[in-house]
């Protein structure tokens, strides 16, 4: 019987299944676009379970600058309000981004991470009933775009390749001081569960020994079969 792909969002669903609201930032050690599909599946799954989910698109500076929301059905749409517009009082959250057919709201970040109003809005949303998922990258200095993100869950997504593992370790090195009081997790995708556990074990011991950083594992329980 053929093996179906592992449900890459399963581990994150378990991690974020608690009834408490919160903030989760996902970073990627890969450059193949895998994370975007993962986050969409996760947001859709959480929405189906009755959670209010806001997916913040912060990864694309170009998209943030133009504030364009795209649709696979209708092509590019008119410029959309960003989360920054909401933070500055120029729009309501219902006017920002677009409501996805799967039940979550996808909102472009905007061009200015440094605005204090943005941090205040994210903190307020995370303290309410919404689950805020932030698609982000580290800056040129290896820092999270907003210090506030380190107070929530930070997930580093990687595949089982050597290049991805090296990049993930460098990310952990950059995060060790920023997330001293927060939580850092590893999500290994595009690998069978046994290999994912080996990758996590190696990174866990390296982070513990050389970085004094404790990381959690998010791996699927088993490979699905059809």
């Amino acid at each position: 019987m053929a093996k179906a792909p592992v449900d890459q969002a399963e581990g994150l669903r378990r991690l974020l299944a608690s009834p408490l609201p919160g903030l989760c930032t996902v970073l990627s050690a890969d450059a193949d676009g895998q994370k975007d599909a993962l986050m969409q599946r996760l947001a859709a799954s959480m929405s189906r379970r009755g959670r209010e989910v806001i997916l913040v698109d912060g990864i694309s500076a170009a998209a943030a600058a133009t504030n364009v929301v795209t649709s696979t059905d209708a092509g590019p749409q008119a410029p959309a309000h960003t989360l920054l517009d909401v933070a500055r009082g120029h729009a309501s959250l219902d006017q920002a981004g677009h409501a996805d057919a799967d039940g979550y709201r996808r909102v472009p970040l905007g061009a200015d991470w440094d605005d204090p109003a943005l941090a205040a809005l994210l903190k307020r949303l995370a303290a309410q009933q919404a689950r805020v998922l932030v698609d982000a990258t580290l800056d040129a200095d290896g820092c999270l775009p907003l210090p506030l993100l380190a107070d929530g869950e930070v997930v580093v997504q990687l595949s089982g390749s050597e290049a991805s593992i090296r990049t993930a370790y460098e990310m952990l090195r950059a995060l060790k001081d920023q997330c001293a009081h927060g939580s850092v997790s590893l999500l290994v995708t595009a690998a069978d569960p046994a290999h994912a556990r080996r990758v996590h074990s190696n990174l866990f011991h390296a982070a513990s020994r050389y970085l004094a950083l404790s990381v959690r594992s998010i791996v699927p329980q088993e490979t699905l079969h059809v």
Side-chain angles (χ1 to χ4, degrees):
M1 299 178 70
K3 291 184 178 180
V6 172
D7 181 358
Q8 298 172 354
E10 177 196 353
L12 272 177
R13 285 200 299 269
R14 294 201 311 273
L15 174 71
L16 303 176
S18 65
L20 297 176
L23 180 65
C24 178
T25 301
V26 183
L27 308 169
S28 180
D30 296 305
D32 60 2
Q34 186 177 169
K35 183 177 68 165
D36 184 64
L38 171 68
M39 294 190 72
Q40 289 182 59
R41 291 175 62 198
L42 173 62
S45 175
M46 294 175 67
S47 294
R48 287 194 296 269
R49 296 180 181 211
R51 303 296 301 274
E52 180 184 355
V53 180
I54 300 168
L55 177 55
V56 181
D57 276 323
I59 193 170
S60 172
T66 56
N67 301 339
V68 171
V69 175
T70 59
S71 167
T72 54
D73 296 325
Q77 299 175 351
H81 287 297
T82 67
L83 199 64
L84 187 60
D85 292 330
V86 178
R88 291 173 173 173
H90 300 156
S92 69
L93 186 60
D94 289 341
Q95 295 172 316
H98 76 285
D100 191 90
D102 285 321
Y104 61 90
R105 178 162 291 277
R106 188 164 189 164
V107 184
L109 175 70
D112 188 3
W113 274 107
D114 295 330
D115 193 315
L118 184 59
L121 174 62
L122 284 171
K123 186 174 183 179
R124 186 165 68 251
L125 289 173
Q128 295 170 352
Q129 293 306 310
R131 172 68 72 177
V132 182
L133 299 175
V134 181
D135 186 351
T137 57
L138 299 178
D139 66 18
D141 296 320
C143 296
L144 289 163
L146 278 174
L148 171 70
L149 301 181
D151 294 335
E153 182 75 24
V154 177
V155 176
V156 176
Q157 174 267 323
L158 68 150
S159 67
S161 72
E162 291 185 8
S164 180
I165 293 169
R166 286 194 299 270
T167 300
Y169 181 78
E170 290 305 314
M171 287 183 165
L172 294 178
R173 189 205 301 270
L175 291 169
K176 72 182 184 70
D177 293 326
Q178 300 173 68
C179 298
H181 303 293
S183 177
V184 179
S185 298
L186 293 170
L187 174 63
V188 184
T189 61
D192 66 81
H195 181 56
R197 291 186 179 90
R198 287 194 296 272
V199 170
H200 173 266
S201 178
N202 292 337
L203 279 173
F204 174 85
H205 290 297
S208 262
R209 180 174 181 179
Y210 301 111
L211 305 178
L213 177 67
S214 179
V215 296
R216 296 198 295 172
S217 173
I218 310 172
V219 294
Q221 294 296 318
E222 59 184 8
T223 303
L224 303 179
H225 296 272
V226 294

